[in-house]
Amino acid sequence: MAKSNIKKIYHNFIHAFPVIFLFFFAFTGFDFSFFLFGNNYYFNFIYAVIFYWVLKKPERLGYGLIFLAGIINDVVQNFPIGISSINYLLLCAIAAFIRARTLMPNLLYDWILFLIAILIVSSVNFTTLALFFAYPIKYGTLMFSAFITFLIYPILSKFFDTVTIIDLKEENAK
């Protein structure tokens, strides 16, 4: 009996993994920041999570949950309310557009299109912050951080593919 409950908990955890992962990063404001040559660079994990799951399994992350995660992230990061939500939903729109136009998924194409998507979203984010909220922009930091996020996407994609395969095995075992 207890083993059955543990399997149910494990299955529910694997099935809800994208939502848990998204809200973990939203609530903690967690990103890997590091200093290099006197500048602060970071990986934006939330962009990778949203892009992958909206592109591959859109039924796992609803747009309402993504919007809510953006509001939470704004509060945690001390940004004006709604900025992250707009960025996340723009990233969702780009990923949904790519999903609708893609015939055969390919990691290389997804990776290149992810770079284009994060450049668009980051540009909109920092332009909005600069124009409306007088937020200072460091373009070198912006571009380097987007490039680092781009570089880690294949690793995260392979990890998320593994989670998807585990979830499919759990679904088929039922």
Side-chain angles (χ1 to χ4, degrees):
M1 183 70 165
K3 191 168 188 162
S4 175
N5 288 338
I6 291 172
K7 280 191 172 188
K8 285 180 184 177
I9 291 170
Y10 175 74
H11 172 70
N12 289 337
F13 175 77
I14 292 296
H15 193 71
F17 179 77
V19 175
I20 294 167
F21 210 54
L22 176 69
F23 278 99
F24 170 76
F25 289 132
F27 274 115
T28 60
F30 181 76
D31 55 10
F32 282 124
S33 296
F34 61 93
F35 289 97
L36 184 65
F37 305 119
N39 290 324
N40 186 20
Y41 300 106
Y42 59 92
F43 310 145
N44 199 332
F45 283 117
I46 292 181
Y47 285 176
V49 169
I50 291 171
F51 186 81
Y52 177 86
W53 290 105
V54 170
L55 185 65
K56 302 290 183 177
K57 295 279 189 182
E59 67 275 1
R60 296 292 170 86
L61 275 181
Y63 295 132
L65 291 173
I66 293 170
F67 182 83
L68 181 62
I71 297 293
I72 292 167
N73 189 52
D74 288 336
V75 171
V76 170
Q77 298 288 337
N78 200 21
F79 284 147
I81 300 296
I83 295 294
S84 294
S85 295
I86 291 169
N87 295 330
Y88 297 167
L89 292 177
L90 177 61
L91 189 62
C92 288
I94 294 168
F97 177 78
I98 293 168
R99 184 182 67 245
R101 300 289 184 238
T102 303
L103 296 176
M104 292 186 57
N106 184 340
L107 178 60
L108 181 62
Y109 294 139
D110 294 347
W111 192 27
I112 292 168
L113 293 170
F114 177 66
L115 175 64
I116 294 167
I118 60 173
L119 289 176
I120 291 170
V121 171
S122 294
S123 297
V124 168
N125 180 33
F126 284 101
T127 302
T128 305
L129 289 173
L131 289 177
F132 297 115
F133 302 105
Y135 194 82
I137 299 175
K138 295 181 181 177
Y139 292 103
T141 304
L142 169 67
M143 297 307 283
F144 194 71
S145 297
F147 185 70
I148 292 170
T149 304
F150 162 73
L151 289 178
I152 64 164
Y153 181 76
I155 298 166
L156 289 175
S157 178
K158 291 297 184 184
F159 174 69
F160 295 152
D161 285 342
T162 304
V163 170
T164 303
I165 290 169
I166 291 170
D167 189 36
L168 287 174
K169 286 179 183 177
E170 291 291 321
E171 287 290 324
N172 291 335
K174 276 187 165 182

